[in-house]
Amino acid sequence: MVFPQQTNHYGTLFGGQALALMDKAAFIVASRYTRRTVVTACSERCDFHVPVRQGQLVELTARVVETGRTSVTVEVTLVAEDLLSGDRQPGTRGKFVMVALDAHGKPTRVPELESMASQVP
């Protein structure tokens, strides 16, 4: 839920707050995918489609869309939902590149996207 301390003077979610939530979702998905420690290398284009208002719920959906040698790209979508009406609208979408680290804090290989998909029952 979007609370007053997360909003600007218009009563809408600060962009930085939305990005922080999205980065956390990307971190969780990348960590689960790689089963490694991951760090954010960059956030790619993030588009803000509709303002997310105080009192609305936010739902984050994140998925790995690409892998590199040591990185995974995670696409994150933030959906705004009116608690009383149930009306839902895509609020923000962006991509985050996360790098996997070994026990010494050095970039390490990640599983290829295709090989992980074939393991799903």
Side-chain angles (χ1 to χ4, degrees):
M1 178 167 278
V2 178
F3 293 102
Q5 68 272 22
Q6 297 171 298
T7 64
N8 58 28
H9 60 288
Y10 297 115
T12 60
L13 184 65
F14 275 117
Q17 290 281 328
L19 293 175
L21 291 170
M22 294 169 71
D23 187 39
K24 289 174 187 174
F27 166 80
I28 291 167
V29 167
S31 296
R32 288 180 79 192
Y33 179 84
T34 63
R35 298 296 176 188
R36 299 270 187 190
T37 298
V38 299
V39 293
T40 305
C42 75
S43 57
E44 294 182 353
R45 181 182 176 128
C46 289
D47 295 312
F48 296 84
H49 302 289
V50 299
V52 181
R53 305 204 178 285
Q54 179 182 318
Q56 287 187 309
L57 301 176
V58 291
E59 178 181 281
L60 295 148
T61 305
R63 64 187 180 99
V64 174
V65 294
E66 187 178 340
T67 58
R69 192 175 65 78
T70 62
S71 65
V72 295
T73 301
V74 180
E75 182 181 71
V76 183
T77 302
L78 182 151
V79 173
E81 178 180 328
D82 183 273
L83 181 63
L84 300 179
S85 72
D87 180 46
R88 297 168 51 87
Q89 293 183 315
T92 308
R93 174 175 282 145
K95 289 184 179 178
F96 296 78
V97 178
M98 313 299 283
V99 173
L101 304 177
D102 65 16
H104 305 289
K106 302 292 184 195
T108 188
R109 292 188 79 68
V110 300
E112 291 181 28
L113 189 56
E114 298 77 24
S115 64
M116 290 298 291
S118 65
Q119 295 177 15
V120 176

